Amino acid sequence: MTWIWSNLDLIWDRTFDHLILSVPSIILSFLIALPFGWLAHRYRASRAVILTTVGVLYAIPSLPLFIVLPFIVGTSIRSPLNLIIALTLYGVALMVRVVADGLGSVDRDVQQSATAVGFSGWTSFWQVELPLAGPVLLAGLRVVAVSTVSLATVGAVIGAQSLGSLFTDGFQRGIQAEIIAGILATVLLALALDAVLVLIGRLLMPWTRRSAIGVVARPGAVARQEVTT
Amino acid sequence: MIEFHSVTKRFPDGTLAVDDFSLVLPSHKTTVLVGTSGSGKTTLLRMINRMVDPTSGSIEIDGADIGTLEPVKLRRGIGYVMQNSGLLPHRRVIDNVATVPMLRGMAKKKARDEALALLDTVGLDRLLANRYPSQLSGGQQQRVGVARGLAVNPNILLMDEPFGAVDPIVRAELQQELLRLQRELGKTVVFVTHDIDEAFLLGDQVVILRTGGKVAQVGSPAEILANPIDEFVATFVGADRGKRSLHLENHGDGDIVVDETGRLAGVLVGSGPSASPSTVSSESKAGPRGPGASAQGGDSR
Ligand SMILES: Nc1ncnc2c1ncn2[C@@H]1O[C@H](COP(=O)(O)OP(=O)(O)OP(=O)(O)O)[C@@H](O)[C@H]1O
Ligand SMILES: [Mg+2]
């Protein structure tokens, strides 16, 4: 325990390193998975190819990928960029299927009625299909976030700094508290990111909040204006 | 005015949904398409806003061939109301109504103000404006659907079984509301239903379809009721409704009126030994038809 108190700075630095690796990866995974998921959803022919490819991608073991990737993309092996690319690939592999499933989950009637009242293809995608796929996307993104945070620790083996460095260092120097601190901090970080995602989801998708009363009782600008006039 | 000229629709899988359909739908009138499931009603309706394009034939709105119009633009000028309202579940009532005007470029503030006024038009409390569709009853959702359909002040309003999913009492209420709206607004309404009573109530012109999108008969409700063109139409409209033979059955607690199929048609009020002028409990204004009892058939369908 004393180790933790006297090394809070170190833990904080590694947490920051960890965030630098995971947050961009999570965001990139989502953004990159969107078009591929959409393709897989939209075109039957592409679906099998895309989903099989991402399935295979996910099956690549992480350590070899971290080591091989620099030779392919030309980054240095310890650079955060190398890890971010690898983590993004795994995130994409998970997220593409989620996007395809999420878009597929949108009620056909709602889509049809959006078309019927005059939403054009892209307006309908951004304003109707994507938001309505939101709950599924969020569920997938939460899995991606947690798995990315956990996977980022592996980078420590090849010398990329992260919370994983606390376990590798702890093992080498035989400091048990450091190992425990690394594990705890990783779990807490995963939980914290998950909580952030849930919060973002609530803000962006107020209609999914089942506590309908809260939504109704809070008088919006329009109702207030009407009641007082 | 909407005109169908020899319109045929065959879907890619070979289904012939509409077969050589020609019809004029007069402006400011309600035309009801009625027929059994799969008779092509929805397909016909969707051809008017180009959700479905005909395989052959053409459709004109006020003389312009809609095949030459841009579908998205066309749809933004036509109101559309469907069963289960088709509201966007992630937008508040007010935004659902304001959606299409905003797609057409109206400023948000103005669109919302007009949307609120439309809630009044369809008889909805403005306090519901900030709810999400899932927080409304089915009947309320349908009203929002109608308000949304009216939002761009379209000349044409397409309604696909809009009251199909609500209970009979709410349905009757919504039907009356639509009749009132139609008296005030005089839209060209195309209304799809499989309920012949609803068709006769709402329609200035009623089109009875048989399977395969073939017209069985077109006419005003009175014309069709008086002169069903064939056996199919007669059965469909229940033409026997005017001359149904009703009889009384005693069920202990009182006499009930039963039609020839054994279906309960009404209750004889004030019947029994001490029967004063006996009337059947219905809102019939018709005079007594039978000996000592005026019987009004219930819903024949
Ligand atoms: N997209 C489609 N592809 C293939 N067949 C279709 C399609 N849409 C409709 N059909 C077929 O066309 C026929 C007419 O369908 P339509 O939906 O117009 O019927 P409807 O009269 O509206 O029926 P309901 O009362 O059940 O709504 C049916 O046999 C239906 O299966
Ligand atoms: Mg239909």
Side-chain angles (χ1 to χ4, degrees):
Chain A
M1 276 301 116
T2 44
W3 184 91
I4 293 181
W5 293 122
S6 45
N7 289 277
L8 274 179
D9 279 358
L10 176 71
I11 296 174
W12 178 245
D13 284 351
R14 291 301 155 266
T15 305
F16 186 75
D17 292 336
H18 209 100
L19 276 174
I20 294 290
L21 294 179
S22 14
V23 172
S25 307
I26 296 166
I27 295 173
L28 283 172
S29 314
F30 179 65
L31 295 180
I32 295 171
L34 266 188
F36 288 105
W38 177 82
L39 273 176
H41 160 70
R42 186 73 176 71
Y43 298 101
R44 222 168 222 297
S46 69
R47 186 180 176 91
V49 178
I50 292 177
L51 294 186
T52 310
T53 310
V54 295
V56 171
L57 196 64
Y58 197 67
I60 301 173
S62 54
L63 201 51
L65 182 66
F66 292 157
I67 295 167
V68 170
L69 209 53
F71 296 103
I72 302 174
V73 294
T75 52
S76 106
I77 190 162
R78 291 179 185 189
S79 99
L81 191 61
N82 179 32
L83 276 214
I84 289 175
I85 293 173
L87 292 174
T88 302
L89 282 178
Y90 287 119
V92 168
L94 277 177
M95 208 52 204
V96 166
R97 180 178 286 275
V98 171
V99 172
D101 290 349
L103 293 174
S105 75
V106 179
D107 187 350
R108 292 256 315 151
D109 274 359
V110 173
Q111 284 181 54
Q112 293 250 328
S113 93
T115 309
V117 300
F119 278 88
S120 62
W122 282 113
T123 324
S124 177
F125 175 77
W126 292 112
Q127 296 190 19
V128 180
E129 286 160 62
L130 194 61
L132 289 180
V136 177
L137 299 185
L138 177 65
L141 209 51
R142 290 175 63 185
V143 174
V144 169
V146 172
S147 96
T148 302
V149 166
S150 135
L151 209 54
T153 58
V154 180
V157 177
I158 54 168
Q161 302 264 306
S162 72
L163 285 171
S165 313
L166 297 180
F167 341 137
T168 48
D169 189 64
F171 269 120
Q172 275 161 13
R173 296 164 51 194
I175 309 171
Q176 212 181 5
E178 188 174 9
I179 300 173
I180 293 172
I183 294 172
L184 271 181
T186 307
V187 170
L188 288 177
L189 186 63
L191 288 177
L193 284 186
D194 189 53
V196 169
L197 283 175
V198 171
L199 197 70
I200 292 175
R202 281 181 172 231
L203 290 176
L204 291 181
M205 302 184 286
W207 74 92
T208 57
R209 267 176 277 173
R210 272 287 145 243
S211 59
I213 309 304
V215 176
V216 178
R218 184 157 45 84
V222 178
R224 198 161 41 230
Q225 175 192 333
E226 283 315 311
V227 173
T228 51
T229 47
Chain B
M1 186 168 67
I2 306 170
E3 292 167 86
F4 283 81
H5 299 293
S6 310
V7 170
T8 295
K9 177 64 191 182
R10 188 181 288 281
F11 283 104
D13 66 357
T15 312
L16 186 62
V18 174
D19 187 16
D20 195 25
F21 180 92
S22 294
L23 183 72
V24 175
L25 292 78
S27 297
H28 313 299
K29 298 278 182 220
T30 301
T31 297
V32 179
L33 306 175
V34 60
T36 48
S37 193
S39 54
K41 307 180 294 291
T42 298
T43 307
L44 280 168
L45 195 75
R46 288 187 173 176
M47 286 199 277
I48 298 172
N49 70 356
R50 296 200 60 192
M51 297 272 286
V52 174
D53 280 327
T55 314
S56 67
S58 65
I59 298 163
E60 291 176 9
I61 295 180
D62 296 332
D65 184 346
I66 62 168
T68 64
L69 303 178
E70 213 275 303
V72 170
K73 192 151 179 279
L74 175 72
R75 290 175 201 142
R76 287 181 186 172
I78 296 178
Y80 194 97
V81 187
M82 62 194 264
Q83 190 174 355
N84 298 321
S85 75
L87 297 175
L88 301 176
H90 60 304
R91 298 216 173 150
R92 295 172 192 277
V93 164
I94 179 125
D95 295 318
N96 261 286
V97 179
T99 289
V100 191
M102 281 169 62
L103 283 176
R104 303 218 304 184
M106 189 185 281
K108 189 166 185 171
K109 170 94 177 64
K110 185 167 187 309
R112 287 177 146 226
D113 286 348
E114 291 187 4
L116 276 176
L118 272 168
L119 293 188
D120 300 340
T121 309
V122 298
L124 268 179
D125 193 326
R126 286 186 176 208
L127 288 171
L128 301 180
N130 281 300
R131 290 205 190 177
Y132 287 101
S134 64
Q135 298 167 329
L136 300 180
S137 72
Q140 290 168 334
Q141 289 182 24
Q142 285 312 131
R143 284 175 195 263
V144 179
V146 174
R148 181 174 73 165
L150 293 172
V152 289
N153 193 19
N155 292 323
I156 297 173
L157 191 57
L158 308 179
M159 308 184 86
D160 194 350
E161 297 191 38
F163 311 144
V166 294
D167 70 64
I169 294 172
V170 174
R171 186 181 315 150
E173 221 174 271
L174 290 169
Q175 288 167 344
Q176 290 306 324
E177 201 82 352
L178 181 64
L179 285 171
R180 173 183 66 79
L181 274 176
Q182 181 59 353
R183 273 194 303 274
E184 289 168 13
L185 305 175
K187 304 288 183 193
T188 306
V189 177
V190 190
F191 192 104
V192 163
T193 179
H194 53 246
D195 177 351
I196 189 69
D197 292 315
E198 185 168 65
F200 283 165
L201 176 66
L202 300 176
D204 298 305
Q205 170 173 263
V206 173
V207 182
I208 297 179
L209 295 164
R210 40 172 128 244
T211 317
K214 286 199 185 65
V215 176
Q217 188 167 2
V218 181
S220 70
E223 282 162 9
I224 294 176
L225 250 184
N227 292 306
I229 204 162
D230 59 16
E231 201 50 37
F232 172 80
V233 175
T235 315
F236 194 81
V237 303
D240 50 338
R241 60 171 66 200
K243 33 187 166 354
R244 260 189 324 184
S245 56
L246 304 172
H247 65 273
L248 293 179
E249 279 180 14
N250 191 283
H251 279 247
D253 292 337
D255 288 333
I256 60 169
V257 184
V258 178
D259 70 11
E260 71 273 30
T261 65
R263 199 201 311 242
L264 176 68
V267 180
L268 203 58
V269 178
S271 64
S274 62
S276 45
S278 46
T279 50
V280 166
S281 74
S282 79
E283 290 169 15
S284 172
K285 302 269 192 306
R289 264 185 238 134
S294 90
Q296 152 101 7
D299 188 349
S300 70
R301 299 185 50 80

PDB file of all heavy atoms in Angstrom, chain A residues 70 76-83 158-161:
ATOM      1  N   PRO A  70       4.835  -2.516 -37.142  1.00  0.00           N
ATOM      2  CA  PRO A  70       5.801  -1.475 -37.511  1.00  0.00           C
ATOM      3  C   PRO A  70       6.441  -1.735 -38.867  1.00  0.00           C
ATOM      4  O   PRO A  70       6.715  -0.798 -39.607  1.00  0.00           O
ATOM      5  CB  PRO A  70       6.849  -1.558 -36.406  1.00  0.00           C
ATOM      6  CG  PRO A  70       6.140  -2.161 -35.261  1.00  0.00           C
ATOM      7  CD  PRO A  70       5.120  -3.078 -35.825  1.00  0.00           C
ATOM      8  N   SER A  76       7.694   3.230 -35.323  1.00  0.00           N
ATOM      9  CA  SER A  76       8.622   2.530 -34.445  1.00  0.00           C
ATOM     10  C   SER A  76       7.804   1.640 -33.514  1.00  0.00           C
ATOM     11  O   SER A  76       6.667   1.949 -33.177  1.00  0.00           O
ATOM     12  CB  SER A  76       9.455   3.533 -33.642  1.00  0.00           C
ATOM     13  OG  SER A  76       9.004   3.554 -32.304  1.00  0.00           O
ATOM     14  N   ILE A  77       8.416   0.525 -33.117  1.00  0.00           N
ATOM     15  CA  ILE A  77       7.658  -0.501 -32.389  1.00  0.00           C
ATOM     16  C   ILE A  77       7.093   0.022 -31.069  1.00  0.00           C
ATOM     17  O   ILE A  77       6.020  -0.374 -30.639  1.00  0.00           O
ATOM     18  CB  ILE A  77       8.505  -1.763 -32.192  1.00  0.00           C
ATOM     19  CG1 ILE A  77       7.624  -2.913 -31.668  1.00  0.00           C
ATOM     20  CG2 ILE A  77       9.663  -1.522 -31.238  1.00  0.00           C
ATOM     21  CD1 ILE A  77       8.243  -4.263 -31.837  1.00  0.00           C
ATOM     22  N   ARG A  78       7.808   0.935 -30.421  1.00  0.00           N
ATOM     23  CA  ARG A  78       7.326   1.408 -29.115  1.00  0.00           C
ATOM     24  C   ARG A  78       6.448   2.646 -29.215  1.00  0.00           C
ATOM     25  O   ARG A  78       5.961   3.139 -28.197  1.00  0.00           O
ATOM     26  CB  ARG A  78       8.511   1.727 -28.223  1.00  0.00           C
ATOM     27  CG  ARG A  78       9.224   0.456 -27.840  1.00  0.00           C
ATOM     28  CD  ARG A  78      10.412   0.721 -26.992  1.00  0.00           C
ATOM     29  NE  ARG A  78      11.102  -0.553 -26.774  1.00  0.00           N
ATOM     30  CZ  ARG A  78      12.106  -0.706 -25.925  1.00  0.00           C
ATOM     31  NH1 ARG A  78      12.534   0.325 -25.238  1.00  0.00           N
ATOM     32  NH2 ARG A  78      12.652  -1.882 -25.781  1.00  0.00           N
ATOM     33  N   SER A  79       6.287   3.154 -30.420  1.00  0.00           N
ATOM     34  CA  SER A  79       5.519   4.400 -30.511  1.00  0.00           C
ATOM     35  C   SER A  79       4.042   4.121 -30.211  1.00  0.00           C
ATOM     36  O   SER A  79       3.523   3.069 -30.559  1.00  0.00           O
ATOM     37  CB  SER A  79       5.664   5.006 -31.911  1.00  0.00           C
ATOM     38  OG  SER A  79       4.539   4.686 -32.682  1.00  0.00           O
ATOM     39  N   PRO A  80       3.422   5.049 -29.524  1.00  0.00           N
ATOM     40  CA  PRO A  80       2.002   4.876 -29.227  1.00  0.00           C
ATOM     41  C   PRO A  80       1.196   4.668 -30.512  1.00  0.00           C
ATOM     42  O   PRO A  80       0.224   3.932 -30.525  1.00  0.00           O
ATOM     43  CB  PRO A  80       1.610   6.198 -28.570  1.00  0.00           C
ATOM     44  CG  PRO A  80       2.875   6.826 -28.132  1.00  0.00           C
ATOM     45  CD  PRO A  80       3.953   6.308 -29.019  1.00  0.00           C
ATOM     46  N   LEU A  81       1.663   5.283 -31.594  1.00  0.00           N
ATOM     47  CA  LEU A  81       0.929   5.182 -32.851  1.00  0.00           C
ATOM     48  C   LEU A  81       0.785   3.729 -33.280  1.00  0.00           C
ATOM     49  O   LEU A  81      -0.286   3.284 -33.716  1.00  0.00           O
ATOM     50  CB  LEU A  81       1.661   5.986 -33.928  1.00  0.00           C
ATOM     51  CG  LEU A  81       0.860   6.187 -35.211  1.00  0.00           C
ATOM     52  CD1 LEU A  81      -0.425   6.955 -34.909  1.00  0.00           C
ATOM     53  CD2 LEU A  81       1.695   6.928 -36.250  1.00  0.00           C
ATOM     54  N   ASN A  82       1.882   2.977 -33.108  1.00  0.00           N
ATOM     55  CA  ASN A  82       1.852   1.557 -33.450  1.00  0.00           C
ATOM     56  C   ASN A  82       0.737   0.849 -32.689  1.00  0.00           C
ATOM     57  O   ASN A  82      -0.074   0.124 -33.258  1.00  0.00           O
ATOM     58  CB  ASN A  82       3.216   0.955 -33.102  1.00  0.00           C
ATOM     59  CG  ASN A  82       3.269  -0.532 -33.405  1.00  0.00           C
ATOM     60  OD1 ASN A  82       2.621  -0.983 -34.336  1.00  0.00           O
ATOM     61  ND2 ASN A  82       4.020  -1.268 -32.609  1.00  0.00           N
ATOM     62  N   LEU A  83       0.688   1.095 -31.392  1.00  0.00           N
ATOM     63  CA  LEU A  83      -0.339   0.451 -30.570  1.00  0.00           C
ATOM     64  C   LEU A  83      -1.735   0.921 -30.936  1.00  0.00           C
ATOM     65  O   LEU A  83      -2.679   0.145 -30.989  1.00  0.00           O
ATOM     66  CB  LEU A  83      -0.082   0.754 -29.088  1.00  0.00           C
ATOM     67  CG  LEU A  83       0.907  -0.137 -28.353  1.00  0.00           C
ATOM     68  CD1 LEU A  83       0.470  -0.301 -26.911  1.00  0.00           C
ATOM     69  CD2 LEU A  83       1.037  -1.480 -29.006  1.00  0.00           C
ATOM     70  N   ILE A 158       6.122  -5.108 -25.130  1.00  0.00           N
ATOM     71  CA  ILE A 158       7.074  -4.645 -26.143  1.00  0.00           C
ATOM     72  C   ILE A 158       7.633  -3.268 -25.784  1.00  0.00           C
ATOM     73  O   ILE A 158       8.279  -2.621 -26.594  1.00  0.00           O
ATOM     74  CB  ILE A 158       6.429  -4.601 -27.548  1.00  0.00           C
ATOM     75  CG1 ILE A 158       5.137  -3.768 -27.504  1.00  0.00           C
ATOM     76  CG2 ILE A 158       6.135  -6.004 -28.057  1.00  0.00           C
ATOM     77  CD1 ILE A 158       4.604  -3.435 -28.880  1.00  0.00           C
ATOM     78  N   GLY A 159       7.302  -2.808 -24.580  1.00  0.00           N
ATOM     79  CA  GLY A 159       7.923  -1.593 -24.084  1.00  0.00           C
ATOM     80  C   GLY A 159       7.140  -0.318 -24.307  1.00  0.00           C
ATOM     81  O   GLY A 159       7.645   0.767 -24.026  1.00  0.00           O
ATOM     82  N   ALA A 160       5.903  -0.418 -24.795  1.00  0.00           N
ATOM     83  CA  ALA A 160       5.081   0.783 -24.916  1.00  0.00           C
ATOM     84  C   ALA A 160       4.447   1.076 -23.564  1.00  0.00           C
ATOM     85  O   ALA A 160       3.865   0.195 -22.935  1.00  0.00           O
ATOM     86  CB  ALA A 160       4.000   0.582 -25.967  1.00  0.00           C
ATOM     87  N   GLN A 161       4.604   2.322 -23.092  1.00  0.00           N
ATOM     88  CA  GLN A 161       4.148   2.665 -21.751  1.00  0.00           C
ATOM     89  C   GLN A 161       2.615   2.677 -21.638  1.00  0.00           C
ATOM     90  O   GLN A 161       1.935   3.250 -22.483  1.00  0.00           O
ATOM     91  CB  GLN A 161       4.650   4.058 -21.395  1.00  0.00           C
ATOM     92  CG  GLN A 161       6.148   4.183 -21.447  1.00  0.00           C
ATOM     93  CD  GLN A 161       6.772   4.008 -20.079  1.00  0.00           C
ATOM     94  OE1 GLN A 161       6.403   4.693 -19.141  1.00  0.00           O
ATOM     95  NE2 GLN A 161       7.702   3.091 -19.956  1.00  0.00           N
TER      96      GLN A 161
END
